[in-house]
Amino acid sequence: MFLSLFCFFNPFGTSLFAESTEFQKASDPVFSSENSKRNPQAKVYKPMFQIPVWGDPHWHNQNEKVDPYRKTWEDLVEKEKSTLAQSSGRDQKSSNNTSKPDEEDWETALQKEVDSQAKQQKKFENSRNTTSPTQINPLTADRSVQNLMMDVMTAVDMVGQWDKNKPQTTSNSFDVREAEFGMFGAIDQFGRGTLLVAAHNEGGRYYFEIHEANILFPFLSKYVNVKMGRFFLDVGRLNRIHRHDWNFTFAPIVHQRLLDNEAVEDTGAEISILFPFWTKVTTELVLGGTNGRYWGHTHTAGVNKNNPMMYAHLKNFVYLGNNWGWQFGATGMRYEIDPVTKAVRYQYGLDSVVRWNQSMLKSFILMSELWYRENRYPDKLDPISFVRSPIPMETFWGYYIFLDYQFHQQWSIGYRYDFFNVPNLRDKNGSIARNAVEGNTLQLTYKPSEFSYIRASTERRYTADFSSESGNPEFVDWRYYIQATFILGSHPAHKY
């Protein structure tokens, strides 16, 4: 504003600005395209928006010198146009007229990747999950990275039991029955490891012990794997499943009497062979050999035996269609009871499970096991007459049938029938005595997710034993249970 007033009142302002303009025209020959007429020595440039993209060869006068910067820019443009033309020509020769070169290269690479994945997957058809290919190549991957892929879990199983029998048949308490801690994952490119440690409540005192500590070699063959270490024996249906994963609170009566309250576990080796000969039936044979120092759960090292415990389990799976599947199997076991007397136990079992599910909304399971045991003893030698007399063989058998129907995404109702009998039980007169144990259990389970559930059940148990002279050979009692179980961490997928 002060400058304008100064120019307005200054009588010399006009000449001052005129001199400034003339100085600018003289110093800058390209002052403007219009004012360049006043200076015939100035070059004439077109505005940038009037210059074509690829240049105009007549943008300057022919008689004047060429701008070196403009010439360099034009040369670069011509070189770029030539390069693009050559590249386009090569692409047109190598591609069809109906598709673009980039799209064809992308589709070709994708098809090669799909074919490679299909070829890799075909190698593991009809194989078990443990031999399926992992996301990383076990033969070329970094071992330290693969070893970090370890899952950790904790399972807490709480059970309350109550009855009003005289004498009591339950503990009439609510306790943490078991807390299990597990770690499992890939060791290296050859093996996978499992460590499961559990704390058991026995009479109000907790004992820590190793449930499983073993290494699995799943890549020995497409159809063969080997497990070594300590584990639950793969016999029957229920024995290899940990207690917090059972479909009921307590083990069936036949399982308690002929196997264990939880499972028969031991240290040894187990080989699993998958037979790929049939398309409709999937068959697996499990062969195992363990120390055989004890049978069932114990806190001692057991007794050294002359022969290990041997067992075999043949399993078959049939897909019935429409989300129905049936698995059935047969088990044979040999166990040396006493290394001195050479008493031997033979035990045989049949197991079956039929399952159906409709996503996570509804499901049905029908499970059953039948077990039979023979305890064979050598002949008894009379030290005076040296006459051998045979010792009667002990026999036991029993079975259970369990049904469970999930009628809601989080609710299911189940029923189990148990039966157990000693066929050669005798009274004091040597006669066969009638005996049986029969159980009927009804349960209701609420399962918010796969990581927790609450189960309430009631059992009516009938016991008959006419081998003794007690005044009440038949007895009926009612038992009530409540179970709450939760799992923390990554729990491995259950087998069928």
Side-chain angles (χ1 to χ4, degrees):
M1 179 178 180
F2 291 102
L3 181 61
S4 302
L5 294 175
F6 174 77
C7 295
F8 180 80
F9 291 103
N10 183 15
F12 306 100
T14 304
S15 60
L16 179 63
F17 279 96
E19 292 178 0
S20 176
T21 303
E22 292 298 330
F23 174 78
Q24 185 175 7
K25 290 167 60 179
S27 61
D28 187 4
V30 195
F31 178 69
S32 68
S33 59
E34 296 179 356
N35 296 332
S36 63
K37 295 179 181 179
R38 304 175 185 176
N39 186 3
Q41 302 299 326
K43 298 180 181 179
V44 179
Y45 287 94
K46 292 182 180 181
M48 290 301 296
F49 64 85
Q50 296 181 1
I51 300 176
V53 176
W54 302 116
D56 186 359
H58 304 289
W59 68 277
H60 56 78
N61 295 331
Q62 299 294 332
N63 297 327
E64 57 189 2
K65 297 181 180 180
V66 179
D67 187 354
Y69 299 103
R70 180 73 182 188
K71 181 62 177 175
T72 303
W73 178 75
E74 286 183 347
D75 293 343
L76 291 175
V77 170
E78 292 296 332
K79 186 177 180 180
E80 183 68 18
K81 289 172 63 179
S82 177
T83 304
L84 291 175
Q86 294 178 3
S87 177
S88 177
R90 289 193 301 266
D91 294 342
Q92 290 179 359
K93 292 180 181 180
S94 61
S95 64
N96 296 328
N97 296 331
T98 58
S99 62
K100 296 182 180 180
D102 294 341
E103 292 181 354
E104 181 182 4
D105 294 341
W106 176 82
E107 292 178 355
T108 302
L110 178 61
Q111 186 62 37
K112 289 182 180 179
E113 181 67 20
V114 171
D115 295 341
S116 176
Q117 292 292 338
K119 184 177 179 181
Q120 181 73 7
Q121 189 68 24
K122 190 175 182 181
K123 296 180 180 180
F124 297 91
E125 288 182 354
N126 300 324
S127 64
R128 55 180 59 84
N129 292 335
T130 55
T131 58
S132 61
T134 57
Q135 293 182 355
I136 58 177
N137 191 337
L139 301 179
T140 60
D142 186 0
R143 298 184 184 180
S144 60
V145 174
Q146 190 173 3
N147 194 270
L148 292 176
M149 299 170 57
M150 182 180 67
D151 295 326
V152 180
M153 59 82 65
T154 299
V156 178
D157 186 24
M158 298 174 287
V159 175
Q161 43 190 321
W162 175 80
D163 71 274
K164 55 179 180 180
N165 304 314
K166 302 297 183 181
Q168 293 181 348
T169 54
T170 65
S171 63
N172 280 22
S173 63
F174 182 79
D175 299 299
V176 177
R177 179 171 64 175
E178 182 179 272
E180 188 176 69
F181 308 90
M183 295 175 287
F184 32 84
I187 302 173
D188 48 32
Q189 68 270 34
F190 295 109
R192 297 180 180 179
T194 298
L195 174 62
L196 293 173
V197 181
H200 288 272
N201 184 359
E202 299 180 15
R205 183 178 179 181
Y206 288 91
Y207 295 89
F208 278 89
E209 59 186 42
I210 296 178
H211 268 181
E212 295 197 35
N214 56 75
I215 179 173
L216 177 69
F217 299 99
F219 300 110
L220 295 181
S221 172
K222 180 179 178 180
Y223 304 108
V224 178
N225 64 33
V226 175
K227 181 190 297 184
M228 300 179 64
R230 185 178 182 85
F231 46 82
F232 287 8
L233 308 188
D234 190 351
V235 293
R237 168 65 186 176
L238 194 64
N239 192 80
R240 61 188 176 92
I241 302 176
H242 290 246
R243 185 156 49 183
H244 61 267
D245 291 327
W246 287 354
N247 297 97
F248 28 74
T249 303
F250 280 92
I253 298 174
V254 63
H255 190 93
Q256 297 179 16
R257 299 292 181 90
L258 299 186
L259 290 168
D260 189 71
N261 290 328
E262 184 173 6
V264 176
E265 56 181 329
D266 207 344
T267 305
E270 192 176 86
I271 180 172
S272 175
I273 306 172
L274 196 66
F275 296 96
F277 307 119
W278 303 278
T279 58
K280 301 296 183 181
V281 180
T282 302
T283 302
E284 180 184 11
L285 177 62
V286 178
L287 302 175
T290 60
N291 292 329
R293 295 179 177 178
Y294 51 84
W295 181 280
H297 182 264
T298 182
H299 293 289
T300 65
V303 180
N304 292 337
K305 302 295 178 63
N306 299 323
N307 300 288
M309 177 164 57
M310 309 294 292
Y311 60 92
H313 186 196
L314 182 65
K315 296 180 283 186
N316 304 273
F317 175 80
V318 180
Y319 178 66
L320 304 177
N322 196 22
N323 292 340
W324 284 89
W326 178 31
Q327 178 178 294
F328 58 95
T331 301
M333 306 175 66
R334 183 190 183 278
Y335 172 74
E336 187 176 89
I337 302 175
D338 187 0
V340 178
T341 61
K342 297 182 180 180
V344 180
R345 172 181 298 165
Y346 294 94
Q347 187 160 313
Y348 311 96
L350 298 175
D351 60 273
S352 174
V353 55
V354 179
R355 302 188 69 168
W356 169 83
N357 70 78
Q358 182 183 353
S359 185
M360 297 284 292
L361 303 177
K362 295 182 180 180
S363 66
F364 172 81
I365 180 172
L366 172 61
M367 184 169 62
S368 178
E369 284 187 79
L370 185 149
W371 286 98
Y372 172 77
R373 173 192 290 181
E374 293 180 352
N375 289 340
R376 302 180 181 180
Y377 301 95
D379 295 341
K380 183 178 180 180
L381 179 63
D382 190 338
I384 299 177
S385 61
F386 297 99
V387 177
R388 293 182 176 273
S389 57
I391 299 177
M393 179 178 59
E394 295 179 344
T395 58
F396 313 86
W397 78 284
Y399 65 93
Y400 72 89
I401 301 175
F402 173 74
L403 301 92
D404 190 75
Y405 175 62
Q406 179 190 356
F407 59 90
H408 184 269
Q409 184 176 1
Q410 297 176 334
W411 292 90
S412 64
I413 186 171
Y415 168 77
R416 192 183 75 196
Y417 175 78
D418 295 86
F419 180 82
F420 181 77
N421 176 252
V422 182
N424 58 354
L425 183 64
R426 301 178 181 274
D427 56 17
K428 64 176 184 178
N429 298 323
S431 303
I432 299 295
R434 184 169 66 90
N435 68 95
V437 181
E438 186 180 63
N440 292 271
T441 305
L442 186 66
Q443 67 180 34
L444 180 66
T445 304
Y446 171 66
K447 195 170 186 179
S449 67
E450 64 271 25
F451 298 102
S452 65
Y453 63 86
I454 299 175
R455 178 177 295 131
S457 57
T458 178
E459 178 187 3
R460 178 191 182 274
R461 180 171 296 193
Y462 165 78
T463 304
D465 185 2
F466 289 88
S467 63
S468 62
E469 297 181 353
S470 60
N472 189 13
E474 296 178 288
F475 180 73
V476 176
D477 66 284
W478 290 84
R479 307 180 184 188
Y480 307 94
Y481 308 105
I482 184 73
Q483 181 183 12
T485 300
F486 65 88
I487 298 172
L488 301 176
S490 178
H491 193 273
H494 298 165
K495 295 183 179 180
Y496 185 89

PDB file of all heavy atoms in Angstrom, residues 292-293 303-307 335-344:
ATOM      1  N   GLY A 292       6.060-104.352  30.320  1.00  0.00           N
ATOM      2  CA  GLY A 292       5.165-105.317  30.941  1.00  0.00           C
ATOM      3  C   GLY A 292       5.462-105.574  32.402  1.00  0.00           C
ATOM      4  O   GLY A 292       5.132-106.647  32.920  1.00  0.00           O
ATOM      5  N   ARG A 293       6.047-104.614  33.112  1.00  0.00           N
ATOM      6  CA  ARG A 293       6.352-104.823  34.521  1.00  0.00           C
ATOM      7  C   ARG A 293       5.123-104.676  35.408  1.00  0.00           C
ATOM      8  O   ARG A 293       5.114-105.170  36.538  1.00  0.00           O
ATOM      9  CB  ARG A 293       7.433-103.841  34.966  1.00  0.00           C
ATOM     10  CG  ARG A 293       8.777-104.055  34.272  1.00  0.00           C
ATOM     11  CD  ARG A 293       9.799-103.041  34.749  1.00  0.00           C
ATOM     12  NE  ARG A 293      11.109-103.269  34.162  1.00  0.00           N
ATOM     13  CZ  ARG A 293      12.177-102.514  34.373  1.00  0.00           C
ATOM     14  NH1 ARG A 293      12.069-101.473  35.202  1.00  0.00           N
ATOM     15  NH2 ARG A 293      13.318-102.786  33.790  1.00  0.00           N
ATOM     16  N   VAL A 303       7.630-105.297  38.576  1.00  0.00           N
ATOM     17  CA  VAL A 303       8.489-106.486  38.705  1.00  0.00           C
ATOM     18  C   VAL A 303       9.101-106.796  37.350  1.00  0.00           C
ATOM     19  O   VAL A 303       8.415-106.768  36.323  1.00  0.00           O
ATOM     20  CB  VAL A 303       7.665-107.698  39.204  1.00  0.00           C
ATOM     21  CG1 VAL A 303       8.564-108.922  39.340  1.00  0.00           C
ATOM     22  CG2 VAL A 303       6.988-107.374  40.532  1.00  0.00           C
ATOM     23  N   ASN A 304      10.402-107.085  37.351  1.00  0.00           N
ATOM     24  CA  ASN A 304      11.066-107.464  36.108  1.00  0.00           C
ATOM     25  C   ASN A 304      10.470-108.755  35.559  1.00  0.00           C
ATOM     26  O   ASN A 304      10.290-109.731  36.297  1.00  0.00           O
ATOM     27  CB  ASN A 304      12.570-107.634  36.324  1.00  0.00           C
ATOM     28  CG  ASN A 304      13.251-106.317  36.631  1.00  0.00           C
ATOM     29  OD1 ASN A 304      12.748-105.254  36.295  1.00  0.00           O
ATOM     30  ND2 ASN A 304      14.410-106.388  37.284  1.00  0.00           N
ATOM     31  N   LYS A 305      10.197-108.759  34.265  1.00  0.00           N
ATOM     32  CA  LYS A 305       9.562-109.920  33.630  1.00  0.00           C
ATOM     33  C   LYS A 305      10.514-110.568  32.633  1.00  0.00           C
ATOM     34  O   LYS A 305      11.422-109.929  32.094  1.00  0.00           O
ATOM     35  CB  LYS A 305       8.281-109.484  32.923  1.00  0.00           C
ATOM     36  CG  LYS A 305       7.263-108.814  33.838  1.00  0.00           C
ATOM     37  CD  LYS A 305       6.734-109.781  34.878  1.00  0.00           C
ATOM     38  CE  LYS A 305       5.747-109.118  35.819  1.00  0.00           C
ATOM     39  NZ  LYS A 305       4.532-108.645  35.132  1.00  0.00           N
ATOM     40  N   ASN A 306      10.277-111.839  32.405  1.00  0.00           N
ATOM     41  CA  ASN A 306      11.065-112.563  31.415  1.00  0.00           C
ATOM     42  C   ASN A 306      10.660-112.183  29.989  1.00  0.00           C
ATOM     43  O   ASN A 306      11.483-112.249  29.073  1.00  0.00           O
ATOM     44  CB  ASN A 306      10.904-114.072  31.605  1.00  0.00           C
ATOM     45  CG  ASN A 306      11.391-114.528  32.976  1.00  0.00           C
ATOM     46  OD1 ASN A 306      12.380-114.005  33.491  1.00  0.00           O
ATOM     47  ND2 ASN A 306      10.693-115.490  33.567  1.00  0.00           N
ATOM     48  N   ASN A 307       9.414-111.811  29.831  1.00  0.00           N
ATOM     49  CA  ASN A 307       8.895-111.503  28.499  1.00  0.00           C
ATOM     50  C   ASN A 307       8.152-110.168  28.547  1.00  0.00           C
ATOM     51  O   ASN A 307       7.485-109.852  29.539  1.00  0.00           O
ATOM     52  CB  ASN A 307       7.941-112.601  28.017  1.00  0.00           C
ATOM     53  CG  ASN A 307       8.616-113.953  27.927  1.00  0.00           C
ATOM     54  OD1 ASN A 307       9.433-114.196  27.052  1.00  0.00           O
ATOM     55  ND2 ASN A 307       8.283-114.839  28.862  1.00  0.00           N
ATOM     56  N   TYR A 335       0.187-110.859  28.539  1.00  0.00           N
ATOM     57  CA  TYR A 335       0.875-110.240  29.675  1.00  0.00           C
ATOM     58  C   TYR A 335       1.328-111.333  30.633  1.00  0.00           C
ATOM     59  O   TYR A 335       0.562-112.236  30.986  1.00  0.00           O
ATOM     60  CB  TYR A 335      -0.072-109.267  30.377  1.00  0.00           C
ATOM     61  CG  TYR A 335       0.452-108.704  31.673  1.00  0.00           C
ATOM     62  CD1 TYR A 335       1.447-107.744  31.685  1.00  0.00           C
ATOM     63  CD2 TYR A 335      -0.069-109.131  32.894  1.00  0.00           C
ATOM     64  CE1 TYR A 335       1.910-107.209  32.870  1.00  0.00           C
ATOM     65  CE2 TYR A 335       0.388-108.609  34.096  1.00  0.00           C
ATOM     66  CZ  TYR A 335       1.383-107.647  34.076  1.00  0.00           C
ATOM     67  OH  TYR A 335       1.845-107.123  35.250  1.00  0.00           O
ATOM     68  N   GLU A 336       2.585-111.252  31.046  1.00  0.00           N
ATOM     69  CA  GLU A 336       3.147-112.223  31.985  1.00  0.00           C
ATOM     70  C   GLU A 336       2.861-111.749  33.403  1.00  0.00           C
ATOM     71  O   GLU A 336       3.391-110.729  33.852  1.00  0.00           O
ATOM     72  CB  GLU A 336       4.650-112.365  31.758  1.00  0.00           C
ATOM     73  CG  GLU A 336       5.292-113.476  32.567  1.00  0.00           C
ATOM     74  CD  GLU A 336       6.762-113.636  32.241  1.00  0.00           C
ATOM     75  OE1 GLU A 336       7.573-112.955  32.913  1.00  0.00           O
ATOM     76  OE2 GLU A 336       7.105-114.412  31.328  1.00  0.00           O
ATOM     77  N   ILE A 337       2.008-112.484  34.109  1.00  0.00           N
ATOM     78  CA  ILE A 337       1.608-112.076  35.453  1.00  0.00           C
ATOM     79  C   ILE A 337       2.740-112.271  36.453  1.00  0.00           C
ATOM     80  O   ILE A 337       3.094-111.361  37.212  1.00  0.00           O
ATOM     81  CB  ILE A 337       0.359-112.869  35.901  1.00  0.00           C
ATOM     82  CG1 ILE A 337      -0.784-112.651  34.910  1.00  0.00           C
ATOM     83  CG2 ILE A 337      -0.057-112.450  37.301  1.00  0.00           C
ATOM     84  CD1 ILE A 337      -2.012-113.490  35.223  1.00  0.00           C
ATOM     85  N   ASP A 338       3.322-113.465  36.463  1.00  0.00           N
ATOM     86  CA  ASP A 338       4.357-113.822  37.455  1.00  0.00           C
ATOM     87  C   ASP A 338       5.490-114.527  36.729  1.00  0.00           C
ATOM     88  O   ASP A 338       5.271-115.582  36.115  1.00  0.00           O
ATOM     89  CB  ASP A 338       3.763-114.732  38.531  1.00  0.00           C
ATOM     90  CG  ASP A 338       4.738-114.992  39.670  1.00  0.00           C
ATOM     91  OD1 ASP A 338       5.857-114.461  39.615  1.00  0.00           O
ATOM     92  OD2 ASP A 338       4.368-115.712  40.614  1.00  0.00           O
ATOM     93  N   PRO A 339       6.711-113.963  36.762  1.00  0.00           N
ATOM     94  CA  PRO A 339       7.814-114.625  36.053  1.00  0.00           C
ATOM     95  C   PRO A 339       8.268-115.921  36.712  1.00  0.00           C
ATOM     96  O   PRO A 339       8.936-116.741  36.077  1.00  0.00           O
ATOM     97  CB  PRO A 339       8.932-113.573  36.090  1.00  0.00           C
ATOM     98  CG  PRO A 339       8.633-112.755  37.304  1.00  0.00           C
ATOM     99  CD  PRO A 339       7.133-112.717  37.401  1.00  0.00           C
ATOM    100  N   VAL A 340       7.905-116.138  37.985  1.00  0.00           N
ATOM    101  CA  VAL A 340       8.337-117.357  38.679  1.00  0.00           C
ATOM    102  C   VAL A 340       7.417-118.518  38.337  1.00  0.00           C
ATOM    103  O   VAL A 340       7.852-119.593  37.911  1.00  0.00           O
ATOM    104  CB  VAL A 340       8.388-117.114  40.200  1.00  0.00           C
ATOM    105  CG1 VAL A 340       8.793-118.405  40.922  1.00  0.00           C
ATOM    106  CG2 VAL A 340       9.358-115.983  40.532  1.00  0.00           C
ATOM    107  N   THR A 341       6.136-118.310  38.531  1.00  0.00           N
ATOM    108  CA  THR A 341       5.175-119.377  38.240  1.00  0.00           C
ATOM    109  C   THR A 341       4.810-119.443  36.764  1.00  0.00           C
ATOM    110  O   THR A 341       4.138-120.381  36.342  1.00  0.00           O
ATOM    111  CB  THR A 341       3.892-119.157  39.048  1.00  0.00           C
ATOM    112  OG1 THR A 341       3.305-117.899  38.670  1.00  0.00           O
ATOM    113  CG2 THR A 341       4.212-119.121  40.532  1.00  0.00           C
ATOM    114  N   LYS A 342       5.241-118.427  36.009  1.00  0.00           N
ATOM    115  CA  LYS A 342       4.946-118.345  34.578  1.00  0.00           C
ATOM    116  C   LYS A 342       3.447-118.266  34.309  1.00  0.00           C
ATOM    117  O   LYS A 342       2.947-118.818  33.329  1.00  0.00           O
ATOM    118  CB  LYS A 342       5.561-119.521  33.830  1.00  0.00           C
ATOM    119  CG  LYS A 342       7.084-119.552  33.915  1.00  0.00           C
ATOM    120  CD  LYS A 342       7.648-120.702  33.114  1.00  0.00           C
ATOM    121  CE  LYS A 342       9.171-120.723  33.195  1.00  0.00           C
ATOM    122  NZ  LYS A 342       9.754-121.849  32.402  1.00  0.00           N
ATOM    123  N   ALA A 343       2.738-117.611  35.196  1.00  0.00           N
ATOM    124  CA  ALA A 343       1.319-117.355  34.955  1.00  0.00           C
ATOM    125  C   ALA A 343       1.192-116.291  33.868  1.00  0.00           C
ATOM    126  O   ALA A 343       1.925-115.299  33.854  1.00  0.00           O
ATOM    127  CB  ALA A 343       0.635-116.895  36.236  1.00  0.00           C
ATOM    128  N   VAL A 344       0.237-116.485  32.959  1.00  0.00           N
ATOM    129  CA  VAL A 344       0.096-115.628  31.783  1.00  0.00           C
ATOM    130  C   VAL A 344      -1.344-115.153  31.686  1.00  0.00           C
ATOM    131  O   VAL A 344      -2.286-115.898  31.993  1.00  0.00           O
ATOM    132  CB  VAL A 344       0.510-116.367  30.489  1.00  0.00           C
ATOM    133  CG1 VAL A 344       0.357-115.457  29.279  1.00  0.00           C
ATOM    134  CG2 VAL A 344       1.932-116.881  30.595  1.00  0.00           C
TER     135      VAL A 344
END
